Amino acid sequence: MADPLIIFDCVSRYYRVGDEAVKALDKVSLRLDVGEFVSVVGPSGSGKSTFMNLCGCLDTPTSGRVMIDGVDMAGMNDDQAAELRNAKLGFVFQQFNLLPRTSALDNVALPLLYAGCNRRARHQAAAQALDQVGLGDRVKHQPSQLSGGQQQRVAIARALVNKPILLLADEPTGALDTSTGAEIMALFQDLNDSGISIILVTHEAEVAEAAKRRLAFRDGKLLHDEALKQVRINHQETRIV
Amino acid sequence: MNLTESVLVALTALRTNLMRSTLTMLGIIIGVAAVITMVAMGAGAQKKIDDQIAALGTNLFMIMPGYGRDHGARTSKVRLSEDDARAIKNQVPDVVAVAPTIRGMAQVVLGNLNWSTVVQGVDGDYLIARNWAIVDGREFEPREVEGGAKVVLVGATVAKELFGEAEAVGQTIRVNRIPMKVVGVLDAKGQTGFGQDQDDLIMVPIDTARTRLLGEAGGVAKAVQVIMVSVRDAWMMEDVEAQITDILRARHRLQPGQEDTFRVRNMSEMVETRAEASRVFNMLLAAVASVSLVVGGIGIMNIMLVSVTERTREIGLRRAVGAKSRDILVQFLIEAITLCTLGGIIGVLLAVGISVGAAAIAGWSFELQWQVVVLAVLFSAVIGVFFGYYPARRAARQDPIEALRYE
Ligand SMILES: Nc1ncnc2c1ncn2[C@@H]1O[C@H](COP(=O)(O)OP(=O)(O)OP(=O)(O)O)[C@@H](O)[C@H]1O
Ligand SMILES: [Mg+2]
């Protein structure tokens, strides 16, 4: 059995809106292992992003216990959480969130700035990460000079640059057309093959099937947790598009 | 993240928003430029006044005739005479020079050149009292003064008008048709505080002026208009003034209780009074300029707040990839400080430009002091910290999740 990466032990996350408590996440218990590729599905407002933020050390549970790579989040302060994110996690967002008017290289190098690497090491690692996502020839381009799919790949390169053990992607294909989305999914599968664990939130059924395991949420509760027969996405075909 | 990196990040952020950064800095630029220009102008005016005092002669009294009063009724003007001057010189030990003078206008002619100028009748003490040097030729000799010789000293302006580049000393000019020999050229003194050209004059021995040029004034023999008294040291001024008053009262036979028929004016004091007024005025201007600096600081704060709101997602992203809240604070603080300091430096350069330009074009005088420059730049950096802290703290306190969701 593989090593545990994330353990949720009866985790709840409530929001107080006025007098009402919104149960964004309600008593969720689960375990994710190193090397897994998990897709998270569910209707809007079901708690997918909340789950993701907890896995990504961006949020703390109202009750229950979250362990990430053997560390209990309860004992962590803000700075320690930032350090953990910086060292072990990579984030990919629906809106890419690239810095405007900043080259792809500098965008990708950003996490290393906070890791305290020097400029040369940063640029070297960033160039390598851009190579890894197939954008080795676009290092000087600014976000506005790249297509949506390319921008998302820059964002993925940024998530990869610090050699994370876990990649967290919240609707990474949400802003892309189907074929570009497939391209991105193929990339995720490659990355997972290389040993990086992935948690991916999505609305789309096909996208979810690219994972090895699927978590379905509804009203903050974990409804289904099932292993999938992973559907491989053919890059040869998609990369040409 | 170390400081150099933080500064680089801040500079990059400012560069990606160049237009806005420039406009934001404008407030500080104008503020700093205004403060420095005002202070430099004030210092320039001060220096000009100091120069004037020096040009006037040091520790100088000017004694002028006043009106006598007889039981409240004004009598005719009481004249001062050369004898009054001699009495002061003989009886007051602390005077360096006592110079009786008369003054009028004269027409000076050389060949077909014609110049109307001031003629001043002087004795040997005048140049000493006024602290005035000869640049070419010589002063009057005592026998020339006593004998009422037809010799003349020309002021720099007159020398230029009549002789141009040519040698003046030794030439003969006609002063009110009387030929007189130029024996010396006076050093240039420039303008008075009232904008009069002090160099547009000629000097002749006082007797020559009285008998040949300006005519004898009635009332008293050897009448003079003004007696200038130069005192050895500034601290003796008060004492000497009292002595002069006593001597003149005795000579003019004034009874106790009767008003003085003359006025003794301390020239340095007069200039000082005007200097004080201009100092106050300049400080007021500098204060107004400082207000504009504060307004500039508020502008920085305003833009920084807008910038923080606008870059909420960027802040969220930076937090997500590992920036600590202190990193965000430092980044925005450095942005504000950089804006202000850069604005300060540009403001200083602008002030230097204005000072040099205005000095060259309008002839205003400026004294740039490096202390003021350093202080202005430091002060603008402090403004950066002061007005940048609040927006920066706001950025640092943002919840990363909220920030990332921000539309
Ligand atoms: N800051 C907040 N304050 C109050 N309620 C919140 C907050 N964030 C999330 N919620 C609520 O928590 C619930 C779960 O939100 P979450 O963002 O996790 O949903 P989601 O599954 O990601 O939805 P979507 O697919 O639309 O992104 C929602 O009902 C939402 O209204
Ligand atoms: Mg969501």
Side-chain angles (χ1 to χ4, degrees):
Chain A
M1 202 168 162
D3 296 325
L5 179 61
I6 290 183
I7 297 172
F8 271 48
D9 184 12
C10 202
V11 172
S12 298
R13 178 69 169 96
Y14 300 158
Y15 286 105
R16 184 157 285 283
V17 180
D19 289 340
E20 269 177 89
V22 178
K23 297 180 176 178
L25 216 59
D26 194 15
K27 301 196 190 75
V28 173
S29 298
L30 55 79
R31 166 187 165 151
L32 304 182
D33 289 333
V34 172
E36 282 203 86
F37 186 169
V38 182
S39 60
V40 180
V41 296
S44 186
S46 56
K48 305 183 295 291
S49 294
T50 307
F51 170 71
M52 185 79 138
N53 291 337
L54 285 166
C55 292
C57 257
L58 285 167
D59 202 359
T60 46
T62 312
S63 67
R65 208 155 63 108
V66 177
M67 300 264 287
I68 297 174
D69 201 27
V71 187
D72 192 339
M73 268 180 64
M76 251 192 275
N77 66 23
D78 218 37
D79 284 356
Q80 287 167 326
E83 269 165 32
L84 187 141
R85 287 197 295 273
N86 187 253
K88 295 182 177 171
L89 307 180
F91 288 90
V92 180
F93 307 95
Q94 181 175 357
Q95 295 306 333
F96 321 143
N97 284 340
L98 299 175
L99 299 183
R101 278 164 288 190
T102 305
S103 72
L105 193 71
D106 284 330
N107 260 298
V108 172
L110 188 66
L112 299 178
L113 187 66
Y114 298 107
C117 298
N118 67 37
R119 199 178 149 82
R120 242 184 73 224
R122 290 204 303 267
H123 280 178
Q124 217 159 24
Q128 202 187 334
L130 278 168
D131 238 8
Q132 205 179 343
V133 299
L135 284 179
D137 54 345
R138 295 284 196 278
V139 285
K140 292 245 161 55
H141 286 57
Q142 296 181 359
S144 59
Q145 298 162 333
L146 295 168
S147 72
Q150 287 171 330
Q151 287 186 52
Q152 190 60 298
R153 279 196 276 165
V154 172
I156 293 170
R158 180 180 61 199
L160 293 174
V161 78
N162 57 345
K163 309 242 181 312
I165 54 173
L166 173 62
L167 212 58
L168 297 145
D170 197 344
E171 309 240 21
T173 60
L176 303 175
D177 61 61
T178 321
S179 61
T180 324
E183 224 177 290
I184 296 296
M185 289 314 299
L187 181 58
F188 275 124
Q189 286 183 337
D190 286 349
L191 292 172
N192 181 240
D193 291 345
S194 75
I196 299 172
S197 312
I198 296 174
I199 301 176
L200 181 145
V201 170
T202 183
H203 267 115
E204 297 156 78
E206 312 95 277
V207 172
E209 274 160 26
K212 294 172 179 165
R213 180 178 170 189
R214 180 167 57 196
L215 304 177
F217 284 89
R218 166 156 299 187
D219 297 332
K221 291 194 168 60
L222 180 58
L223 208 63
H224 298 291
D225 180 353
E226 56 195 337
L228 296 177
K229 191 182 169 307
Q230 190 180 33
V231 179
R232 294 301 298 196
I233 291 176
N234 187 343
H235 358 172
Q236 248 57 40
E237 185 189 311
T238 53
R239 284 258 164 97
I240 291 163
V241 181
Chain B
M1 202 162 61
N2 67 34
L3 197 67
T4 356
E5 295 284 6
S6 304
V7 173
L8 280 176
V9 169
L11 280 178
T12 312
L14 292 178
R15 210 183 43 217
T16 50
N17 241 321
L18 198 59
M19 182 70 178
R20 170 189 291 186
S21 306
T22 316
L23 286 174
T24 312
M25 272 192 298
L26 214 53
I28 295 291
I29 292 174
I30 291 170
V32 167
V35 169
I36 292 185
T37 312
M38 287 305 146
V39 172
M41 219 165 91
Q46 184 58 44
K47 188 170 183 295
K48 212 168 167 178
I49 286 159
D50 290 345
D51 289 350
Q52 271 174 31
I53 293 177
L56 200 66
T58 40
N59 310 326
L60 201 64
F61 281 119
M62 228 161 110
I63 308 167
M64 285 164 291
Y67 289 93
R69 266 175 209 279
D70 201 2
H71 301 293
R74 218 182 214 200
T75 63
S76 66
K77 206 166 180 175
V78 176
R79 303 225 169 246
L80 295 169
S81 73
E82 275 182 58
D83 294 335
D84 289 330
R86 200 159 300 122
I88 293 169
K89 186 159 191 176
N90 291 339
Q91 291 171 41
V92 186
D94 294 326
V95 298
V96 178
V98 179
T101 71
I102 55 176
R103 199 176 162 90
M105 293 302 291
Q107 198 70 22
V108 185
V109 178
L110 175 76
N112 56 358
L113 291 171
N114 205 319
W115 189 250
S116 174
T117 188
V118 170
V119 59
Q120 182 115 31
V122 301
D123 74 356
D125 271 8
Y126 188 78
L127 293 183
I128 304 170
R130 289 292 314 271
N131 201 12
W132 209 328
I134 301 275
V135 285
D136 197 12
R138 58 167 175 84
E139 297 176 27
F140 296 140
E141 283 164 8
R143 62 179 168 78
E144 286 172 339
V145 175
E146 268 145 42
K150 291 187 272 181
V151 286
V152 61
L153 295 171
V154 295
T157 304
V158 177
K160 205 178 102 218
E161 290 298 333
L162 292 185
F163 302 103
E165 298 297 305
E167 175 72 33
V169 177
Q171 302 268 25
T172 300
I173 56 174
R174 289 172 169 277
V175 182
N176 286 1
R177 297 218 189 80
I178 301 159
M180 293 195 183
K181 193 174 158 212
V182 177
V183 296
V185 178
L186 293 162
D187 193 13
K189 282 230 177 207
Q191 297 194 332
T192 65
F194 305 100
Q196 271 173 330
D197 182 2
Q198 299 183 80
D199 300 316
D200 188 3
L201 91 172
I202 59 171
M203 291 182 191
V204 296
I206 189 162
D207 262 351
T208 315
R210 189 160 36 227
T211 54
R212 296 178 192 275
L213 299 175
L214 304 175
E216 190 90 37
V220 61
K222 299 206 164 183
V224 299
Q225 289 165 341
V226 174
I227 300 172
M228 295 215 169
V229 180
S230 173
V231 182
R232 187 168 303 128
D233 250 316
W235 61 266
M236 300 168 174
M237 295 292 277
E238 227 173 296
D239 199 32
V240 170
E241 184 173 349
Q243 290 181 51
I244 290 171
T245 309
D246 286 349
I247 291 165
L248 290 181
R249 284 186 71 92
R251 287 184 56 80
H252 291 213
R253 301 200 178 79
L254 298 177
Q255 303 300 321
Q258 226 175 331
E259 258 180 69
D260 289 346
T261 54
F262 51 86
R263 286 173 293 158
V264 180
R265 283 234 185 123
N266 184 330
M267 294 309 288
S268 324
E269 243 169 40
M270 265 171 65
V271 178
E272 263 306 319
T273 311
R274 287 202 312 123
E276 189 56 39
S278 86
R279 252 198 300 275
V280 168
F281 182 67
N282 272 301
M283 262 159 72
L284 212 72
L285 281 180
V288 171
S290 315
V291 170
S292 73
L293 201 54
V294 172
V295 172
I298 294 171
I300 296 256
M301 182 157 165
N302 185 19
I303 295 297
M304 288 307 294
L305 280 174
V306 171
S307 172
V308 166
T309 309
E310 204 184 67
R311 283 153 69 191
T312 301
R313 268 169 170 277
E314 176 191 326
I315 294 165
L317 173 80
R318 286 180 187 270
R319 293 297 304 275
V321 301
K324 292 168 188 166
S325 98
R326 188 172 38 87
D327 293 330
I328 302 292
L329 181 89
V330 168
Q331 181 191 335
F332 279 88
L333 204 53
I334 287 180
E335 275 185 36
I337 296 172
T338 308
L339 273 179
C340 284
T341 312
L342 216 62
I345 291 170
I346 296 174
V348 167
L349 295 179
L350 190 67
V352 172
I354 291 173
S355 306
V356 171
I361 295 164
W364 291 4
S365 52
F366 290 92
E367 280 290 299
L368 266 184
Q369 288 149 316
W370 66 266
Q371 296 98 320
V372 177
V373 168
V374 170
L375 211 68
V377 173
L378 277 182
F379 186 63
S380 41
V382 169
I383 281 186
V385 175
F386 186 80
F387 288 106
Y389 183 74
Y390 176 72
R393 200 189 55 168
R394 195 144 132 173
R397 286 195 176 174
Q398 258 169 16
D399 178 32
I401 301 169
E402 298 288 328
L404 278 167
R405 286 188 347 165
Y406 185 83
E407 297 295 331

